[in-house]
Amino acid sequence: MENSGPPISVEKFEDGPVWTIGYLVYRKPAGEAIVIDVPMWSGEKIYRRVRELGLTVKYIVATHGHWDHTGEMRRLKDLTGARVCANVGDEWMMKDPNGMVISPPEKIEPVSIDVPLTDGVRLEFDDAHFEIVHTPGHSAGSVCLYFETEGIIFTGDTLFAGSIGRVDLPTGSMDEISTSITGRLMTLPDQVRIFPGHGPDSTIGKERIGNQFVRMMTGKV
Ligand SMILES: [Fe+2]
């Protein structure tokens, strides 16, 4: 692949009432960046770091539409002028975050999608690029962001270290998350690093062996 230049930088912003992680991803200070999920109470903190590094945020990507991941997306969009990207399957949640089955502890500003994400879409910033992997199951519009050259995948609430996303919320499906994980994530190389929407990071190889949910899905338990 043709990516060159310094390796990618990944900074974590864990915040909000259920400890959700937003990620700031960039190649170099003063270059372009993306933000993946914007938890409640994290918008100003992420923006302060963006200013400190002199970054230009090109895209704000939602791994899915749950309010703990999109809580301050509207605010960060207003501060940076970046375009919001998500799968349209979850746009109804982003437009009505306060009407969800589990309601947020504070009112959340609705946000709409500027760039619709479908499976295989490739987005670029600076000289880096990543591909969207549509992984329904936790929600219909759940996506992962795969940086193939760097060997990194952001998995949102689809796959965690030692666990998987819940499937009991609207549009959740055990069959779909199982197909997404076995068919799209466990087909990646063992050394690919996983950055999830909650909890510590991991690798595909560690989850293949040590994640009981994955082992059940792949018939190893
Ligand atoms: Fe979620």
Side-chain angles (χ1 to χ4, degrees):
M1 303 293 283
E2 74 278 19
N3 274 10
S4 57
I8 212 101
S9 294
V10 177
E11 298 190 14
K12 292 185 188 190
F13 293 83
E14 188 178 48
D15 222 321
V18 288
W19 300 104
T20 308
I21 304 173
Y23 292 96
L24 174 63
V25 183
Y26 59 95
R27 270 274 203 233
K28 55 186 180 299
E32 288 181 327
I34 64 165
V35 176
I36 303 166
D37 293 340
V38 189
M40 289 176 75
W41 315 327
S42 73
E44 295 282 343
K45 292 172 196 166
I46 295 173
Y47 184 58
R48 218 176 298 136
R49 183 64 177 149
V50 162
R51 292 282 302 268
E52 190 175 54
L53 292 165
L55 297 168
T56 302
V57 181
K58 188 172 183 185
Y59 300 117
I60 300 169
V61 183
T63 59
H64 62 295
H66 290 156
W67 55 257
D68 59 312
H69 295 257
T70 64
E72 292 201 349
M73 216 161 258
R74 174 78 235 181
R75 173 130 192 79
L76 192 63
K77 176 186 162 86
D78 290 345
L79 287 167
T80 61
R83 285 184 289 167
V84 169
C85 315
N87 182 271
V88 292
D90 280 9
E91 191 169 29
W92 64 278
M93 304 180 196
M94 299 165 72
K95 285 184 165 172
D96 184 21
N98 305 294
M100 294 298 293
V101 181
I102 301 173
S103 57
E106 299 170 6
K107 193 169 177 298
I108 284 178
E109 289 295 320
V111 66
S112 51
I113 297 172
D114 302 311
V115 180
L117 300 179
T118 51
D119 191 57
V121 161
R122 176 184 149 124
L123 293 177
E124 299 177 1
F125 61 100
D126 263 349
D127 58 353
H129 66 263
F130 60 97
E131 188 179 311
I132 296 301
V133 184
H134 185 207
T135 51
H138 175 63
S139 66
S142 286
V143 298
C144 297
L145 288 69
Y146 184 35
F147 287 72
E148 185 180 9
T149 313
E150 289 80 10
I152 292 174
I153 190 161
F154 295 87
T155 56
D157 283 3
T158 297
L159 181 63
F160 303 120
S163 189
I164 61 168
R166 59 191 287 184
V167 293
D168 59 327
L169 295 170
T171 76
S173 159
M174 191 62 195
D175 282 349
E176 285 186 348
I177 203 169
S178 182
T179 302
S180 293
I181 290 174
T182 57
R184 306 302 303 277
L185 301 183
M186 288 304 131
T187 50
L188 299 175
D190 279 346
Q191 68 273 17
V192 170
R193 290 180 72 190
I194 297 169
F195 289 102
H198 301 270
D201 48 71
S202 183
T203 65
I204 291 288
K206 280 187 197 167
E207 297 315 302
R208 201 191 309 280
I209 293 167
N211 185 317
Q212 294 303 304
F213 296 92
V214 173
R215 289 177 68 89
M216 262 188 281
M217 287 170 179
T218 51
K220 296 213 178 83
V221 174

